[in-house]
Amino acid sequence: MNVSPPVTRQELLDRAKSIAGLTIQQLANKSNACIPESTTHAKGWFGNLLELSLGANAASAPEPDFVNLGIELKSIPIDDNGKPKESTYICVTQLDPVALSSWESSLVKCKLTEVLWVPFEANKNTPVPLRRIGSPVLWQANQAQEKQLKDDWQELCDMIVLGDIDKISSSMGKYLQIRPKAAHSKCLTKDKNQSGENTLTLPRGFYLRPAFTYSIISQANH
DNA sequence: GCGTGATCATAA
DNA sequence: TTATGATCACGC
């Protein structure tokens, strides 16, 4: 099945609503997709199926999934209580001071301008095909949320620009955190900070803490 | 290696 | 039980 990109945000939301309540098995059938027995070696599998099902541009580029709408698609695993099981990956942490000069032009803000969150059951005791898809939430940060994200981002980026990236801990940041994002811990990328010569460091990414994503997806019940 | 999609596995 | 640090798969 080849799904064309949605033309309007309402169309996108309608499509997401139409798959809410389905099991992963039912959604996979629509796309003639095979379900992995375990997600251990297919970590991004559901996210990819969701993109396919909703008509996202399958490009692996640092831009929103629905470029024409400026909307990012995120699947989010929840437990029996509806709480996120994991933090949510946003994007890589750029190490170029120029790219980090302002929140307004940051990759993080770009990705989080508007997000379609699609929760799904991820209880270990439930076989993958029987897990159900939840109600989608189309979200934009309110003023308080954006301020906190910006503050976290600014604090973390200040450290990167100053050459203190190795001092950054995942425990920093209230909503936003920086953690490793690589194939393995031996990966290296160039770190061109203000302190002088270029060094190599482990690639990292920005993540949203579960407490924050929970406040977002529970908006649906407010 | 970089960027996409993320979850795994173990220490705290 | 939770969160940090590490890792899996894929296209290019």
Side-chain angles (χ1 to χ4, degrees):
Chain A
M1 189 170 84
N2 204 350
V3 181
S4 60
V7 176
T8 63
R9 56 199 296 286
Q10 187 59 50
E11 183 180 0
L12 172 59
L13 188 55
D14 286 343
R15 287 188 189 181
K17 283 180 177 174
S18 75
I19 65 170
L22 295 184
T23 61
I24 287 180
Q25 174 77 69
Q26 290 172 319
L27 184 61
N29 287 346
K30 287 176 175 289
S31 301
N32 287 321
C34 297
I35 298 177
E37 291 184 22
S38 161
T39 55
T40 306
H41 299 291
K43 296 182 180 179
W45 179 82
F46 182 67
N48 294 146
L49 173 62
L50 202 52
E51 291 181 332
L52 191 63
S53 303
L54 297 180
N57 316 48
S60 110
E63 59 191 16
D65 295 298
F66 301 96
V67 186
N68 56 321
L69 300 177
I71 297 177
E72 172 74 10
L73 176 64
K74 286 292 179 193
S75 63
I76 182 167
I78 56 174
D79 64 19
D80 292 339
N81 297 317
K83 294 188 176 177
K85 296 188 59 172
E86 296 279 353
S87 51
T88 302
Y89 171 69
I90 307 169
C91 62
V92 294
T93 54
Q94 301 163 103
L95 301 178
D96 185 342
V98 176
L100 301 177
S101 58
S102 83
W103 162 249
E104 299 303 324
S105 62
S106 72
L107 196 48
V108 177
K109 178 174 165 54
C110 172
K111 283 277 193 177
L112 297 182
T113 299
E114 186 161 20
V115 182
L116 179 65
W117 299 91
V118 180
F120 65 98
E121 293 177 345
N123 187 316
K124 271 193 311 188
N125 299 321
T126 306
V128 177
L130 300 182
R131 295 177 185 177
R132 283 177 297 130
I133 298 162
S135 299
V137 177
L138 190 54
W139 167 88
Q140 293 181 70
N142 59 35
Q143 283 198 342
Q145 290 170 330
E146 173 157 353
K147 181 180 187 310
Q148 184 62 56
L149 289 173
K150 181 178 178 177
D151 288 349
D152 285 344
W153 180 88
Q154 193 65 59
E155 178 185 13
L156 294 164
C157 289
D158 282 350
M159 291 187 68
I160 295 174
V161 173
L162 294 174
D164 289 333
I165 190 170
D166 290 328
K167 295 179 187 172
I168 291 179
S169 155
S170 334
S171 61
M172 297 176 66
K174 185 177 180 184
Y175 292 161
L176 210 52
Q177 65 177 173
I178 285 183
R179 304 215 316 264
K181 170 62 172 174
H184 52 76
S185 60
K186 301 297 185 294
C187 285
L188 293 174
T189 189
K190 285 181 186 173
D191 174 14
K192 30 184 173 180
N193 57 63
Q194 286 184 347
S195 67
E197 51 292 21
N198 289 183
T199 54
L200 294 174
T201 189
L202 177 66
R204 290 152 228 245
F206 280 105
Y207 294 79
L208 288 176
R209 294 183 179 284
F212 184 62
T213 51
Y214 179 59
S215 74
I216 293 173
I217 62 176
S218 58
Q219 281 180 3
N221 304 317
H222 289 175

